[in-house]
Amino acid sequence: MKRYLLRILGIVLVLICGILLVSRRNPSDARLIAHSDLLRGSSDIYLKIPGSKHLTNLTNHPAVDTQPTWSPDGEWIAFVSERDSPPHGHPVNNLYVMRRDGSEIRRLGVSSPATGTRIISWSPDSEWIYTKYITRGWWDNYFVRLEDGATMSLRFSNTFTVYSSWSPRDSLLAFRTQITDSSMGIFRARPDQSPDTQNLITLEGFIDKMIWSEDGQSLAFSAFETSQFTLYRVGIDGKDPQPLFSSPYPFLDVEWSPDSQWIAFLPEGGRAVSLIRADGSEMRRIGASLQGHQKLDWSPDGQWLVVSTRQGEESTLYRLRADDSEVRQIHQVQGDIHHVLWSKDGRRIFFTAGDRVREHLFQMRPDGSDVEYLTETAFDWEFPLSPLIDFPWHGWEMLVLGAGSVVLSFLKRGQFALSSRSVNRIGAFLK
């Protein structure tokens, strides 16, 4: 009887290890969603795990809490709230941070009128937050340090700053600024007590979309000059900006390939997705039959693109090979698709559909199967998805596997015995 119970215990421990291992090796299934749910004038931030019924109210406050934004390390969530507004005055927006379980809520940075629209973005090292809001037609811009809430202003005299983006490789922020009534520039800055800024480029015209290359060495942006739209590339040092492509139509979306060698873009009025080498030496068009483009994104291996189109009342998602050898319809919805994102592990495509006040977030597999509704996102500017979380279960896996193996080793004469060689092989696999 004892031998039988020990055998059962050993098998259970090994099975638990296997479950932990499967969870650890499928991080996309461990994605968490922090989303704001606006209902009857109040909004709370919730935490949800896709594919499960897990839903936790993180803020649970009568004030409006919205725009949750994850830190790149997955440890913090920044959000906007009116909770500290004066009791009989105008509502005031403030920036807050909390742990991913809703603990350690604290206010950071400066206040703004609640009528302003605040935008939040984290530095790649999760140490700084860039935040901006509009008041009386003016954008105020700040770096805020997570550790102590220290705030550094990025406001410039006679300027109007709107678009901004952190380099994916460095705590370096690029932002677009109005310089005169007829000219705009792209600046870069690092968070510091007195942020050091550098003007990368100034153009007579209007600068629109701006995005970093994945290696952090270049920026692609579109500009409207003398009655035409031009796609540019400029290096991190601002030298030798290169015009790549011109069109009488604006660009609906611009995205770098994962290897930073190609730029994909959607010129309005065009009937194909356009790809151009970063140095301008080669250009190709794929998906020539598609019309009514909206958004696009690259697969992490750079072999595929997902593209959304709109015809009539319906929007359609397509998966395209970058060499144009395959075009496949994978999903269709009513209304607009506002965002589309291919997960970093390549196993999921995320997209939002609906109106901008209340969008619906979905995920599916790249072949269009297993479409899952995730949540409603109210007034959120970006996907409320956490980074891929590789749970730190490696030590527990080895402990559980070791315990199960010890138990089974006492049962060598049984059919469930594990040899030390098998344990070593499993240990090497876990690493």
Side-chain angles (χ1 to χ4, degrees):
M1 182 66 178
K2 289 182 179 180
R3 181 180 292 274
Y4 176 76
L5 292 176
L6 285 173
R7 180 177 295 169
I8 295 298
L9 176 61
I11 294 172
V12 169
L13 290 174
V14 172
L15 287 176
I16 291 174
C17 170
I19 293 172
L20 293 175
L21 175 62
V22 170
S23 298
R24 177 177 177 268
R25 295 182 68 84
N26 291 276
S28 63
D29 296 331
R31 274 183 178 266
L32 304 175
I33 300 171
H35 70 97
S36 54
D37 181 24
L38 190 66
L39 183 63
R40 290 186 294 275
S42 180
S43 174
D44 280 326
I45 296 173
Y46 292 81
L47 194 68
K48 181 178 181 179
I49 300 177
S52 76
K53 296 181 179 180
H54 179 88
L55 184 67
T56 302
N57 189 331
L58 296 181
T59 53
N60 196 23
H61 195 280
V64 173
D65 301 327
T66 189
Q67 289 178 238
T69 308
W70 284 89
S71 62
D73 61 8
E75 294 298 323
W76 295 89
I77 300 170
F79 65 99
V80 174
S81 179
E82 302 174 0
R83 60 180 60 203
D84 286 331
S85 298
H88 303 293
H90 292 290
V92 175
N93 271 341
N94 283 290
L95 173 67
Y96 296 80
V97 292
M98 62 181 169
R99 291 285 186 181
R100 67 182 185 186
D101 61 359
S103 63
E104 298 184 39
I105 295 180
R106 54 191 171 97
R107 190 174 76 186
L108 294 179
V110 296
S111 301
S112 71
T115 53
T117 301
R118 186 185 291 272
I119 298 173
I120 305 166
S121 58
W122 289 83
S123 63
D125 58 10
S126 300
E127 295 181 4
W128 294 87
I129 301 171
Y130 173 70
T131 177
K132 56 187 174 183
Y133 56 85
I134 189 168
T135 56
R136 298 186 182 94
W138 194 280
W139 285 100
D140 293 313
N141 307 267
Y142 298 90
F143 285 129
V144 183
R145 188 160 52 206
L146 174 65
E147 180 182 9
D148 56 8
T151 303
M152 297 88 190
S153 175
L154 268 173
R155 181 172 176 173
F156 290 84
S157 299
N158 301 318
T159 63
F160 184 75
T161 302
V162 183
Y163 292 113
S164 61
S165 179
W166 289 96
S167 165
R169 303 296 181 183
D170 193 8
S171 293
L172 184 66
L173 185 85
F175 56 95
R176 184 195 76 176
T177 297
Q178 185 94 30
I179 297 177
T180 68
D181 290 342
S182 61
S183 66
M184 280 190 172
I186 295 177
F187 288 71
R188 70 176 197 178
R190 293 184 185 276
D192 201 345
Q193 294 297 331
S194 55
D196 179 31
T197 62
Q198 176 187 350
N199 178 251
L200 296 180
I201 187 172
T202 300
L203 292 176
E204 291 294 321
F206 182 85
I207 296 175
D208 193 7
K209 300 183 183 300
M210 179 183 66
I211 183 170
W212 285 94
S213 60
E214 292 297 322
D215 61 10
Q217 297 302 304
S218 300
L219 282 160
F221 66 94
S222 61
F224 179 68
E225 307 171 278
T226 60
S227 302
Q228 70 175 2
F229 296 85
T230 302
L231 179 67
Y232 282 90
R233 181 196 60 80
V234 63
I236 193 174
D237 56 5
K239 296 179 180 178
D240 302 322
Q242 181 180 4
L244 300 175
F245 180 80
S246 293
S247 169
Y249 304 103
F251 299 97
L252 301 175
D253 205 0
V254 179
E255 296 290 342
W256 283 88
S257 64
D259 61 5
S260 301
Q261 298 299 308
W262 292 86
I263 302 170
F265 60 97
L266 299 173
E268 185 177 322
R271 294 196 173 188
V273 179
S274 299
L275 306 181
I276 192 167
R277 284 201 178 273
D279 60 4
S281 62
E282 181 183 353
M283 184 172 175
R284 67 173 73 141
R285 289 182 171 87
I286 63 176
S289 61
L290 306 184
Q291 301 182 42
H293 299 113
Q294 292 178 304
K295 295 292 181 181
L296 65 83
D297 197 32
W298 290 84
S299 65
D301 61 7
Q303 301 299 309
W304 298 86
L305 294 100
V306 58
V307 179
S308 67
T309 66
R310 172 74 183 261
Q311 291 289 311
E313 298 299 318
E314 292 183 330
S315 292
T316 306
L317 285 168
Y318 293 88
R319 189 182 66 180
L320 288 69
R321 275 200 178 274
D323 62 5
D324 202 28
S325 62
E326 181 179 341
V327 177
R328 178 178 177 181
Q329 178 180 323
I330 54 177
H331 193 63
Q332 198 167 57
V333 297
Q334 290 291 316
D336 285 319
I337 291 176
H338 298 293
H339 302 86
V340 61
L341 175 70
W342 208 309
S343 66
K344 293 184 183 298
D345 61 7
R347 298 182 180 182
R348 294 289 188 276
I349 292 174
F350 298 91
F351 63 95
T352 61
D355 58 54
R356 290 195 177 278
V357 173
R358 180 157 292 182
E359 297 180 348
H360 301 280
L361 177 64
F362 298 85
Q363 73 171 8
M364 64 180 176
R365 296 191 182 277
D367 62 3
S369 63
D370 296 338
V371 179
E372 179 186 1
Y373 168 75
L374 297 178
T375 185
E376 215 174 55
T377 60
F379 300 109
D380 294 327
W381 287 67
E382 296 181 356
F383 286 95
L385 299 168
S386 70
L388 289 178
I389 298 174
D390 196 1
F391 288 101
W393 289 337
H394 183 268
W396 286 105
E397 291 167 354
M398 292 305 297
L399 179 62
V400 173
L401 178 62
S405 300
V406 168
V407 171
L408 291 175
S409 68
F410 286 109
L411 306 171
K412 287 184 178 180
R413 297 175 183 176
Q415 58 181 335
F416 299 105
L418 276 177
S419 68
S420 59
R421 187 175 181 182
S422 299
V423 173
N424 290 336
R425 285 182 177 176
I426 297 176
F429 175 71
L430 287 173
K431 295 179 181 179

